[in-house]
């Protein structure tokens, strides 16, 4: 990508992460980046081609997040810091979920989750010290991920909210390891 394409893609990525498809109005995007609309069409031909570039960029970002997760030793503070650094990427992923009825979004979401999910689960198992198998943790993670993306938004994406979310997840997950005999 050349510098102009990067400017378009980064701003489009940011707007999509907050507003979804509505944020991808070419005229408004041109105003935001301060470059003429004709430049957009010169670089991307149409909105569909632009969205494809956004999806490619998201997968590149997902690889970066996955690498950082692999190196993290704890959820709090390390993973939380990674999530905060990549807030736009996480919110972009949220928009992919919201718009998963579209095949290109669904496909990108699936690949992104594969890149990021495994290392997150391994870190969570290590950090929480819960006696769960990887398969059990994967099932809980799938549910937790849906819940996470239902709750997260640009306003509450803070360290405090993430700390609380992961602490709650740990508490709920611990209950799965308790006997089911009806006693507390």
């Amino acid at each position: 990508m050349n510098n102009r394409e990067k400017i378009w893609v980064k701003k489009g990525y940011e707007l999509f992460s907050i507003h979804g498809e509505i944020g991808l109005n070419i005229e408004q995007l041109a105003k935001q980046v301060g470059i003429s609309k004709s430049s957009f069409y010169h670089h991307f031909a149409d909105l569909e081609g632009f969205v494809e570039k956004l999806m490619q960029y998201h997968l590149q970002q997902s690889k970066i997040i996955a690498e950082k997760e692999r190196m993290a030793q704890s959820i709090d503070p390390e993973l939380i810091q990674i999530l905060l650094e990549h807030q736009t990427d996480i919110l972009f992923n949220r928009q992919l979920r919201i718009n998963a009825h579209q095949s290109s979004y669904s496909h990108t979401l699936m690949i992104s989750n594969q890149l990021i999910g495994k290392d997150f689960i391994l870190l969570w198992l290590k950090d929480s010290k819960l006696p769960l198998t990887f398969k059990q943790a994967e099932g809980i993670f799938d549910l937790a991920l849906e819940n996470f993306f239902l709750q997260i938004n640009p306003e509450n994406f803070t360290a405090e909210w993430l700390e609380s979310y992961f602490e709650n997840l740990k508490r709920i997950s611990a209950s799965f390891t308790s006997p089911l005999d009806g006693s507390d």
Side-chain angles (χ1 to χ4, degrees):
M1 266 193 297
N2 67 40
N3 285 341
R4 288 265 170 133
E5 287 175 333
K6 285 179 187 176
I7 292 169
W8 284 107
V9 168
K10 285 188 177 190
K11 183 50 82 172
Y13 190 77
E14 178 185 310
L15 291 172
F16 182 87
S17 74
I18 296 169
H19 304 291
E21 289 183 311
I22 296 169
L24 297 181
N25 176 291
I26 297 168
E27 191 169 319
Q28 291 301 314
L29 187 57
K31 285 180 185 177
Q32 292 265 333
V33 297
I35 304 172
S36 71
K37 245 174 33 172
S38 62
S39 170
F40 176 90
Y41 291 108
H42 170 75
H43 293 291
F44 304 105
D46 58 20
L47 190 57
E48 189 176 306
F50 182 65
V51 169
E52 188 176 310
K53 288 282 189 187
L54 294 179
M55 298 302 137
Q56 291 170 1
Y57 183 76
H58 183 65
L59 292 178
Q60 291 171 349
Q61 294 301 107
S62 295
K63 289 175 185 174
I64 292 168
I65 294 168
E67 184 57 37
K68 289 179 179 181
E69 281 181 347
R70 267 190 287 286
M71 296 185 314
Q73 297 297 309
S74 66
I75 288 177
D76 189 3
E78 288 180 82
L79 180 66
I80 289 173
Q81 187 58 43
I82 292 166
L83 295 175
L84 291 170
E85 288 171 18
H86 291 275
Q87 178 178 4
T88 301
D89 306 311
I90 303 304
L91 292 172
F92 191 95
N93 215 47
R94 177 179 172 261
Q95 290 295 339
L96 292 177
R97 286 179 172 283
I98 291 168
N99 294 285
H101 58 279
Q102 295 188 40
S103 63
S104 66
Y105 294 177
S106 178
H107 180 71
T108 301
L109 177 63
M110 180 191 69
I111 294 170
S112 176
N113 287 345
Q114 288 172 349
L115 291 168
I116 296 172
K118 181 183 176 196
D119 291 309
F120 179 91
I121 294 168
L122 292 171
L123 176 60
W124 177 57
L125 278 172
K126 182 182 121 194
D127 196 62
S128 67
K129 297 177 179 62
L130 295 171
L132 299 170
T133 67
F134 184 82
K135 201 71 169 162
Q136 290 169 323
E138 193 174 43
I140 294 170
F141 176 75
D142 285 344
L143 292 173
L145 198 58
E146 287 298 321
N147 181 266
F148 176 84
F149 283 110
L150 283 171
Q151 293 185 48
I152 200 73
N153 62 60
E155 289 78 36
N156 71 2
F157 204 119
T158 64
E160 294 79 23
W161 188 89
L162 290 167
E163 289 165 6
S164 174
Y165 184 85
F166 286 118
E167 190 57 41
N168 193 36
L169 178 60
K170 186 176 183 179
R171 183 183 52 75
I172 291 168
S173 301
S175 70
F176 287 108
T177 63
S178 300
L180 297 175
D181 64 3
S183 62
D184 289 332

